[in-house]
Amino acid sequence: VSSAGAAEELSSGQTLYLPVYSHIWHGDLVGRDKSPTTSLVSVLVSIRNTSLKTPIKILSARYYSTEGRLLKEYLAKPVLLSTMGTLEFFVERRESEGGSGANFVIQWDSTTATNPPVVEALHADIKSGNHALAFITTARPIQADK
């Protein structure tokens, strides 16, 4: 959640917004309805505790559709993420409900101020032969609604 070369401020918790795509549009506008080609992609969400000293607690990981509808809460209860540990969630390629504007909202906290986690989503569509598509999106902190 930080830009290259800039150190993130210490925090004792955040709400993070992570854009993800269950499909992408590409190519030309074709056919009767002049629609682009749609390709489904899988998504690997990675939450990495960057602290050498402080565990963090992942409170929730909610997956929303393009329309803002909650599709899934990935955590039944909070998870303690050890120092330098990683927690991962997977969205299958066949899951198309999220759409091109899908997103995760991830909440975490800590007993003391620490380095915020690095939260990324690796999107992939890898087929046999010479076709592969992969890209990464990065979470950013947002203000929790009151």
Side-chain angles (χ1 to χ4, degrees), residues 1-3 8 14-20 45-47 103-108 116-123 136-142:
V1 292
S2 64
S3 57
E8 189 83 26
Q14 294 173 313
T15 299
L16 303 172
Y17 175 85
L18 176 65
V20 298
V45 173
S46 176
I47 303 171
N103 60 80
F104 272 81
V105 174
I106 296 164
Q107 292 180 294
W108 70 275
V118 170
V119 180
E120 298 176 322
L122 171 63
H123 302 75
I136 293 174
T137 56
T138 304
R140 66 181 190 92
I142 59 173

Side-chain angles (χ1 to χ4, degrees), residues 7-87:
E8 189 83 26
E9 287 188 32
L10 299 180
S11 176
S12 58
Q14 294 173 313
T15 299
L16 303 172
Y17 175 85
L18 176 65
V20 298
Y21 302 81
S22 68
H23 72 259
I24 60 166
W25 294 345
H26 60 90
D28 297 318
L29 300 176
V30 295
R32 268 194 212 150
D33 59 355
K34 298 293 185 196
S35 296
T37 302
T38 300
S39 290
L40 297 174
V41 293
S42 60
V43 183
L44 173 64
V45 173
S46 176
I47 303 171
R48 298 168 183 254
N49 185 355
T50 60
S51 175
L52 293 166
K53 296 181 179 180
T54 307
I56 63 173
K57 188 181 294 183
I58 309 303
L59 303 173
S60 66
R62 296 181 306 275
Y63 178 51
Y64 292 90
S65 71
T66 298
E67 299 77 27
R69 186 169 38 91
L70 178 62
L71 297 176
K72 183 175 183 178
E73 166 60 73
Y74 274 75
L75 293 178
K77 61 182 182 179
V79 172
L80 190 64
L81 187 54
S82 64
T83 59
M84 301 307 292
T86 300
L87 178 62

